[in-house]
Amino acid sequence: MPHIAHGPRIAVVGGGIGGLAVAGFLRRAGLTAGVHEQASVFAEVGAGLVAAPNAVRLLRRLGVLERFLRRAVALDWGWELRRWADGSVLSVERLTGVCERLYGERTYVVHRADLLDALRSAVPDEWIRLGARCTSVDETARGGVLLGFADGSAEEADVVIGADGVHSVVRGALTEPAPPRYSGVCAFRTLVPAAAAPEFARRPAHTIWLGPGRHFVHYPVGGGRAVNVVAFAPAGDYTDESWSATAGVEEFRAEFAGWDPRVTDLIAAGGTPGRWALLDREPLRRWSRGGITLLGDAAHPMFPFFAQGAAQAVEDAAVLARCLADAPDDPEQALKRYESARLARTTRLQQVSHARRDVNHLPDGPEQRARDATFADADPLVGNGWIYGYDPEKALA
């Protein structure tokens, strides 16, 4: 693994958003790392995501914002909440100008692959090892960490960063394995080519339709070339958490039978939808020990109802790199400082994301009407300033 004379040997397990972001921030801080990604190629997996000002601020700092903006779509129209049955607008929040004034950056939507492409541009090719599936993590007698891989190879490092997602192998070396709880909710996702999407779905808006037990989200991605659709519905006995699992278009459409035809027409215009179960995991009370730590979904998987999963991984990356750069000769202390700086914030976001499910899925009735009435008065952009105004440099200072 390449490393500078005075820096620790750092191994990142996982080449997703968090893994590439931390490698990029480490490079910016003058440290080096090896990134071990189990996939043999960087493929266009996943779907759309939101990049709020707290994430965009860090993409700018990393020097990849220009590349990110090639395919990102600015939410000029803003956030929009609609009623399931007839599409009546419950609230609209215009973001243009306001986001910049409050937080110094705009809010964007983007395909996950396009964000990965931007982050990868900050990491030298020679740092990345593809087809490297980590199978074991063991602390050595000398205070290092030995990684074992499926191909029989091994590598020793001073610092191991587990950025390997919800099924993290690295997490298993730190915590007692606890099976996730069944949430009872599953997600569907599909991409609709812009040419097949109705005009209202192509607007630069993040639209959420709220209904009993379900909600339905759409926004443009890929520079406006496609519309990302993601929807949440009761899972029944479905428990597959794989991103590669699929469902039938008619199955997806049937879940939203009786909804505004614009919803079911958009479903029909998409390709074969992906489908996965949302599994529930308790926040960890700690995620570092010795020279091993976690980042992103490996540390704090959260329901996607605040659209902060990717942003929190990028925040983790910026904080962790800064902590390691500040104490390159004492990585164990650096990891403790990192965990201390991040634990309360990510736990709070896990909790509010969890609670949002129940708010979004109220059955029609007095509670739902009271909820809808609050939307007209609320200003989530201001009310969630603790999310969007966060700056790792200030948090660490």
Side-chain angles (χ1 to χ4, degrees):
M1 178 193 301
H3 66 281
I4 55 176
H6 303 294
R9 298 168 298 168
I10 302 170
V12 180
V13 178
I17 289 167
L20 291 176
V22 76
F25 278 110
L26 287 166
R27 182 191 187 201
R28 183 174 166 272
L31 298 170
T32 58
V35 179
H36 305 275
E37 165 55 37
Q38 66 176 352
S40 54
V41 292
F42 281 113
E44 288 208 12
V45 296
L49 54 86
V50 177
N54 54 316
V56 177
R57 184 177 300 119
L58 297 178
L59 297 179
R60 183 185 296 281
R61 201 166 287 167
L62 190 56
V64 301
L65 188 62
E66 187 178 335
R67 190 175 183 111
F68 169 82
L69 293 179
R70 292 179 192 171
R71 299 291 295 271
V73 176
L75 285 182
D76 291 334
W77 185 270
W79 291 322
E80 182 180 77
L81 293 173
R82 290 178 178 256
R83 181 159 161 73
W84 69 279
D86 58 6
S88 52
V89 176
L90 303 173
S91 80
V92 173
E93 175 125 28
R94 305 276 187 223
L95 299 183
T96 303
V98 186
C99 250
E100 298 95 309
R101 178 170 54 79
L102 288 173
Y103 305 119
E105 297 290 357
R106 300 170 82 175
T107 295
Y108 300 88
V109 282
V110 68
H111 193 287
R112 181 178 181 274
D114 295 329
L115 174 57
L116 274 176
D117 174 72
L119 291 170
R120 192 180 178 189
S121 71
V123 183
D125 287 345
E126 62 269 22
W127 287 21
I128 298 171
R129 179 183 167 212
L130 297 174
R133 183 166 67 84
C134 180
T135 53
S136 64
V137 183
D138 297 293
E139 291 170 282
T140 69
R142 298 185 301 280
V145 185
L146 187 66
L147 296 177
F149 296 91
D151 63 2
S153 64
E155 178 164 328
E156 189 172 345
D158 302 307
V159 175
V160 167
I161 300 168
D164 49 342
V166 292
H167 300 293
S168 171
V169 171
V170 180
R171 185 177 58 213
L174 290 173
T175 63
E176 283 297 312
R181 290 199 311 273
Y182 178 49
S183 75
V185 176
C186 74
F188 293 87
R189 62 175 163 78
T190 189
L191 285 170
V192 180
E199 186 278 329
F200 88 94
R202 299 196 303 268
R203 296 170 306 149
H206 182 279
T207 301
I208 307 176
W209 302 66
L210 301 180
R214 293 163 172 77
H215 73 278
F216 185 90
V217 181
H218 56 80
Y219 48 80
V221 292
R225 297 177 186 86
V227 174
N228 182 69
V229 171
V230 60
F232 302 90
D237 57 2
Y238 188 81
T239 57
D240 192 340
E241 203 184 12
S242 167
W243 271 30
S244 58
T246 59
V249 174
E250 284 310 312
E251 184 183 2
F252 185 7
R253 217 172 148 179
E255 285 288 350
F256 291 85
W259 283 49
D260 186 299
R262 286 173 289 184
V263 167
T264 48
D265 288 352
L266 196 54
I267 292 170
T272 300
R275 184 188 189 194
W276 75 99
L278 296 185
L279 299 188
D280 211 357
R281 290 175 171 82
E282 285 292 327
L284 294 175
R285 290 191 294 274
R286 51 176 294 197
W287 65 57
S288 300
R289 188 186 69 227
I292 308 172
T293 195
L294 302 175
L295 177 155
D297 284 351
H300 43 72
M302 55 189 71
F303 285 176
F305 305 149
F306 262 77
Q308 275 289 309
Q312 292 310 302
V314 176
E315 285 185 10
D316 285 348
V319 171
L320 178 50
R322 167 72 188 274
C323 290
L324 284 165
D326 284 352
D329 299 322
D330 192 353
E332 186 171 344
Q333 192 56 42
L335 299 191
K336 285 180 182 171
R337 182 184 177 210
Y338 154 66
E339 181 188 284
S340 171
R342 296 294 298 158
L343 194 60
R345 175 172 171 80
T346 57
T347 297
R348 183 180 176 190
L349 268 158
Q350 284 177 285
Q351 291 166 341
V352 297
S353 300
H354 194 281
R356 190 60 164 266
R357 172 188 62 178
D358 301 324
V359 173
N360 282 358
H361 293 181
L362 289 173
D364 282 354
E367 271 193 286
Q368 162 262 321
R369 288 192 291 275
R371 176 202 67 192
D372 293 356
T374 66
F375 289 145
D377 306 322
D379 187 343
L381 198 58
V382 172
N384 291 320
W386 67 276
I387 300 177
Y388 307 130
Y390 178 89
D391 186 318
E393 298 288 335
K394 293 175 183 169
L396 286 170

